[in-house]
Amino acid sequence: MPYSVTVVFGGEREYRFTPQDADVAAMTKDQARVWLTKEFEELGCTPTNPMGKVLMLDMILSVARDGGESRFEQRSEWAKKYAVVAAAALERPLVRVDVSSFVVG
């Protein structure tokens, strides 16, 4: 199944990644959560829930935002890994992470 992860920072600033099927299949949802949690903490992301519970969607959005647009623009290894993780975490082939609107579609 072909995968496509697009990260949007507003306007026409969209970065599309096409993770390999094998890379996504090799990552479990739990492994994706571990990676996102690690990045969430290292980037100093702030939970959006006042109770402190961090949902998977919040982690995906916050890590993209706080990881910075330049990583996606430069198509860094980190950004490529992020795309694999997002696809694996959400278990769907098409993912759109709209950082500017803070919405995952």
Side-chain angles (χ1 to χ4, degrees):
M1 153 183 346
Y3 288 91
S4 176
V5 176
T6 304
V7 182
V8 182
F9 283 88
E12 303 211 7
R13 298 179 351 250
E14 294 188 10
Y15 308 98
R16 184 172 175 258
F17 296 84
T18 52
Q20 297 296 310
D21 294 357
D23 293 337
V24 176
M27 178 169 288
T28 67
K29 195 169 186 171
D30 286 339
Q31 289 170 323
R33 178 175 277 287
V34 167
W35 189 88
L36 285 166
T37 300
K38 177 181 160 287
E39 293 300 315
F40 189 90
E41 291 170 359
E42 286 182 7
L43 292 167
C45 300
T46 306
T48 58
N49 183 330
M51 299 302 287
K53 182 173 172 113
V54 181
L55 304 175
M56 182 77 75
L57 292 177
D58 289 336
M59 281 196 283
I60 289 169
L61 287 159
S62 296
V63 167
R65 179 194 62 212
D66 295 346
E69 183 176 359
S70 66
R71 293 187 197 204
F72 295 99
E73 185 176 35
Q74 295 166 6
R75 305 196 63 74
S76 71
E77 289 305 312
W78 183 92
K80 292 174 187 175
K81 176 77 172 192
Y82 174 88
V84 170
V85 168
L90 296 174
E91 299 177 320
R92 31 186 225 211
L94 298 175
V95 177
R96 183 175 176 85
V97 179
D98 189 336
V99 176
S100 59
S101 299
F102 213 67
V103 172
V104 174

